[in-house]
Amino acid sequence: MKAAGLVRGALVAALLLAGSAAGLAALAAGPSLDPARAGPCVEDPKVMRRSHMDFLKHDRDDTVRRGIRGVKHSLSACVDCHANKADGRVLGSDRHFCQGCHAFAAVKLDCFDCHASTARIAPAATAAASLPGAAR
Amino acid sequence: MNPVDKRRREFLGSAAAFAGAMIAPGVFLYDYANAGVSDGASRPRGPAEPASASVRWGMLIDTTKCASGCRECVDACNRENGLPGTTRSTDSQWIRKVDLKDLRTGKALSVPVMCQHCAEPPCVDVCPTGASFKRADGIVLVDRHTCIGCRYCMMACPYKARSFVHEPTTGQKPDVPRGKGCVESCTLCVHKVDRGGTPSCVEACAAAGHGAILFGDLNDPQSEIAKRIREVATAQLRADLRTDNGVRYQGISG
Ligand code: SF4
């Protein structure tokens, strides 16, 4: 009985491993996104991936309540840099920055129910040098 | 000198010393008291500096210059803030043109009415979440992150200045986020004011040649608006409510 149970367990484990190998590879690669307009980011991308929502939440109060416009983590500035090179947007398809990553992580994204999802700088002026962050 | 006079002198001497007490080298108590009025307004605020209570933004609307039928300020507001500009009963309106007529004298007026940016805003008093708030510089705003759309503030506002967003929004401006389920009203173009600018309605009215709206710091005695309200008779709408509005009207009581 015990031996049979063990064998069954091992079989299930082996099946699971084989099945998820492909999935794991896809996970490691991350979402596939179209090129964005400028970089680098205001923080280390690893930190941003984990904490961008907290940064945004912290700085939004400074802007809305206290009128500080020069915050480091501003959603409009995120959009300006991360907007798709072709159409200047961060939403539209799973290849657009915000939508693509949120779809990949299966996290609901509601910033853009209210906020503009289009870069402030027109797509024609995509000269990377004109974007904040591109200088560094 | 008799003993009473002597004691008086000593008392007055020490009182004077207290009033002029140095808080830090070169900084006196009365400097603090006057700091806001003396220089707060004339100096533009840096991008990292918060709004200051030494400033109080306000507007003066000269009803004798405002033209009946003109909607330049309303249209400019809609453009600046990404409002659709439609006027069904449920659509957002941040500025309304109101036409008034005194039936006894026949005198007619046309005035824009927007959020009056009260010093004692009823909308802030009633808001259950703290979303409706008054900034340090007197601008009354809704923090849409906290607004639950209960619309108490709309009920409380004596000027019907607030609108509720009933439908999903599109075409928002990067500086003016707005969305379904929240209440909104005139922000005095806070995104422009924070960068040293002027509300769009003021600019549009001037560009149309009317120049009926004056914007400025009510706390700065040197500002154009402070000078005008010192010199001419102006009124706050429903002053009996003692909300102490930041928006004032000239020529409204005649
Ligand atoms: S609608 Fe929003 S801002 Fe107005 S009272 Fe309710 S929570 Fe406060």
Side-chain angles (χ1 to χ4, degrees):
Chain A
M1 274 302 268
K2 209 172 181 187
L6 269 181
V7 168
R8 208 180 306 143
L11 260 177
V12 170
L15 272 176
L16 271 180
L17 268 179
S20 62
L24 277 177
L27 268 181
S32 46
L33 303 169
D34 283 342
R37 298 175 70 184
C41 197
V42 289
E43 307 281 355
D44 183 334
K46 277 205 202 77
V47 177
M48 273 316 242
R49 244 166 250 147
R50 188 166 285 278
S51 308
H52 63 281
M53 60 306 255
D54 299 323
F55 293 146
L56 285 169
K57 207 168 188 171
H58 181 269
D59 284 6
R60 81 183 188 193
D61 290 341
D62 277 349
T63 302
V64 177
R65 303 244 164 199
R66 303 175 66 216
I68 301 174
R69 296 277 158 183
V71 294
K72 188 175 179 192
H73 308 101
S74 126
L75 187 62
S76 323
C78 292
V79 172
D80 285 346
C81 281
H82 286 289
N84 191 306
K85 255 202 174 116
D87 61 7
R89 305 194 65 218
V90 291
L91 303 184
S93 76
D94 284 357
R95 300 193 64 83
H96 284 72
F97 187 83
C98 295
Q99 184 176 338
C101 202
H102 274 254
F104 179 80
V107 177
K108 188 165 175 266
L109 171 62
D110 55 13
C111 298
F112 301 106
D113 290 356
C114 292
H115 284 272
S117 59
T118 310
R120 285 175 289 194
I121 304 133
T126 312
S130 70
L131 288 167
R136 277 169 299 125
Chain B
M1 192 195 305
N2 69 34
V4 174
D5 277 348
K6 187 163 180 285
R7 273 207 308 281
R8 257 194 204 150
R9 282 198 177 184
E10 280 164 9
F11 172 73
L12 290 175
S14 59
F18 178 70
M22 281 220 293
I23 294 167
V27 180
F28 290 86
L29 260 183
Y30 57 79
D31 282 344
Y32 268 122
N34 293 332
V37 182
S38 59
D39 77 332
S42 35
R43 186 173 47 88
R45 186 156 59 86
E49 229 179 301
S52 151
S54 64
V55 175
R56 179 162 186 223
W57 296 118
M59 297 207 287
L60 173 61
I61 297 168
D62 186 346
T63 59
T64 58
K65 291 185 184 163
C66 178
S68 170
C70 172
R71 288 177 51 87
E72 290 291 332
C73 55
V74 180
D75 295 339
C77 175
N78 292 341
R79 275 195 305 275
E80 178 67 36
N81 296 299
L83 306 178
T86 43
T87 50
R88 291 171 301 168
S89 59
T90 50
D91 289 334
S92 275
Q93 282 178 280
W94 291 14
I95 309 181
R96 260 180 291 217
K97 277 302 291 287
V98 177
D99 288 307
L100 302 166
K101 188 171 186 182
D102 185 332
L103 293 178
R104 282 163 302 182
T105 61
K107 182 169 193 293
L109 286 177
S110 177
V111 286
V113 179
M114 65 288 284
C115 170
Q116 303 286 299
H117 298 281
C118 311
E120 305 285 344
C123 59
V124 174
D125 291 342
V126 301
C127 179
T129 65
S132 185
F133 71 102
K134 187 179 71 159
R135 239 167 61 142
D137 56 5
I139 303 182
V140 177
L141 296 171
V142 178
D143 183 346
R144 292 173 170 84
H145 303 113
T146 347
C147 174
I148 55 170
C150 69
R151 291 165 263 180
Y152 271 126
C153 54
M154 290 176 69
M155 296 291 127
C157 175
Y159 310 102
K160 290 187 188 283
R162 284 203 167 163
S163 303
F164 180 73
V165 183
H166 288 261
E167 282 158 40
T169 48
T170 51
Q172 290 93 328
K173 300 281 162 156
D175 280 326
V176 192
R178 52 187 300 271
K180 178 178 156 183
C182 287
V183 156
E184 59 182 17
S185 55
C186 157
T187 64
L188 224 50
C189 284
V190 69
H191 55 287
K192 296 178 80 184
V193 171
D194 278 343
R195 297 177 178 119
T198 310
S200 288
C201 54
V202 180
E203 288 170 357
C205 183
H210 302 303
I213 317 179
L214 183 59
F215 169 80
D217 177 9
L218 299 166
N219 276 356
D220 175 7
Q222 301 310 316
S223 71
E224 201 53 41
I225 189 169
K227 283 185 198 158
R228 277 267 289 281
I229 63 174
R230 227 176 12 245
E231 284 159 11
V232 299
T234 62
Q236 296 166 319
L237 297 184
R238 290 297 310 270
D240 56 316
L241 298 173
R242 301 213 206 139
T243 45
D244 188 6
N245 304 353
V247 179
R248 305 184 73 100
Y249 291 81
Q250 177 179 345
I252 208 163
S253 50

